[in-house]
Amino acid sequence: MLEAKKYDARKAAPNELSLLLDDADGQQNRKAGVTRGTGQWDAAMQRAYEQAEWYAHHLHRDEPSPLFLVIVDVGHVIELYADFSGRGRTYSAFPDVNSHRIPLADLAK
């Protein structure tokens, strides 16, 4: 399962992430001005993870649970989470908490 967020260059500087989030009544609101590498950015990425996890937990019971959740700040970073139990209930940073966030620039290595 993939959850992607992307900054909007018209509303945010290139080092900022603009998130499209659903509010309580289902309306979509764009939140701009989250600077990458800050606590706000980490919190935005955590919210994206929680959104993907929510989707995984609410799949139809006939659907298999995804082994991986992939969280993407488009053009900047990929985060990986895995649950190899097959139940989709205990996702954890993959391969570990220190290396689950992969900057796209590192993919060339």
Side-chain angles (χ1 to χ4, degrees):
M1 178 158 301
L2 175 86
E3 182 63 30
K5 304 297 181 194
K6 182 177 188 260
Y7 78 89
D8 182 343
R10 294 169 296 161
K11 295 186 178 190
N15 68 334
E16 294 181 336
L17 177 66
S18 177
L19 298 177
L20 185 63
L21 302 172
D22 291 337
D23 63 18
D25 63 0
Q27 298 299 312
Q28 292 185 333
N29 294 306
R30 190 164 292 282
K31 306 287 186 184
V34 177
T35 302
R36 290 185 173 111
T38 65
Q40 286 181 323
W41 180 74
D42 286 332
M45 293 298 285
Q46 178 64 30
R47 286 191 304 275
Y49 162 77
E50 291 167 1
Q51 186 176 5
E53 186 179 45
W54 187 91
Y55 293 148
H57 290 180
H58 290 85
L59 289 171
H60 189 273
R61 66 175 178 251
D62 294 338
E63 293 289 327
S65 295
L67 295 176
F68 289 96
L69 298 181
V70 181
I71 312 305
V72 179
D73 175 358
V74 176
H76 181 66
V77 71
I78 298 169
E79 290 184 352
L80 298 175
Y81 297 87
D83 175 12
F84 295 113
S85 72
R87 294 177 298 179
R89 297 286 182 233
T90 54
Y91 291 97
S92 58
F94 180 84
D96 58 58
V97 72
N98 294 319
S99 54
H100 78 289
R101 184 176 280 172
I102 306 163
L104 292 184
D106 287 355
L107 292 178
K109 295 179 184 177

